């Protein structure tokens, strides 16, 4: 299996005024994804999607349950796992609403010190893979 979880759970303790309460972001998730399968993981804001992905790649520690990704344990084998998977967290709000998408990418590349040739290569590869050439000159709004 590429992804396998058993009773995967993540809880967060939050302050509510002077009191503390526990919020369950992921509640006993059992999931298997076999090699070659394509999976969509959708849900409302706050449903636990990002929390799940973070546990799958070792960014967050599960409160309970087990997880393997690419046959590796995300926490213990995190370095090896980073050679197998990549995750990008983002949303439309990271783009400047009134600028064409291409210009937002250029600005973000400069902010993150990505050399021009590298940025252009990455942008061109992703533009082709995601079939988004028609959107590069369109503002994000």
């Amino acid at each position: 299996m590429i992804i396998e979880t058993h009773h995967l759970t993540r809880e967060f303790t939050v302050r509510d005024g002077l009191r503390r309460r526990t919020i369950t972001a992921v509640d006993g998730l059992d999931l298997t994804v076999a090699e070659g399968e394509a999976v969509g993981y959708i849900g409302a804001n706050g449903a636990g999607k990002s929390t799940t992905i973070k546990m799958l790649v070792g960014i967050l520690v599960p409160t309970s349950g087990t997880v393997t990704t690419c046959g590796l344990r995300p926490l213990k084998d995190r370095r090896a796992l980073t050679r197998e998977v990549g995750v990008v967290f983002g949303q439309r709000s990271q783009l400047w609403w009134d600028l064409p998408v291409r210009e937002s990418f250029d600005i973000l590349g400069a902010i993150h010190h990505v050399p021009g040739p590298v940025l252009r290569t990455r942008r061109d590869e992703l533009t082709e893979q995601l079939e988004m050439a028609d959107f590069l000159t369109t503002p994000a709004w």
Side-chain angles (χ1 to χ4, degrees), residues 31 33 42 44 56-57 61 65-66 75 82 93 98 106-107 129 134:
L31 173 70
V33 178
I42 62 173
L56 292 175
V57 298
V61 178
T66 61
L75 293 172
T82 59
S93 64
D98 56 344
D106 291 342
I107 291 169
Q129 290 172 359
D134 293 342

Side-chain angles (χ1 to χ4, degrees), residues 9-12 23-27 41 46-49 51-52 55:
T9 300
R10 176 59 193 207
E11 297 173 338
F12 294 95
I23 294 178
T24 303
V26 177
D27 191 8
Y41 195 48
K49 301 176 300 293
T51 300
T52 300
M55 289 188 290

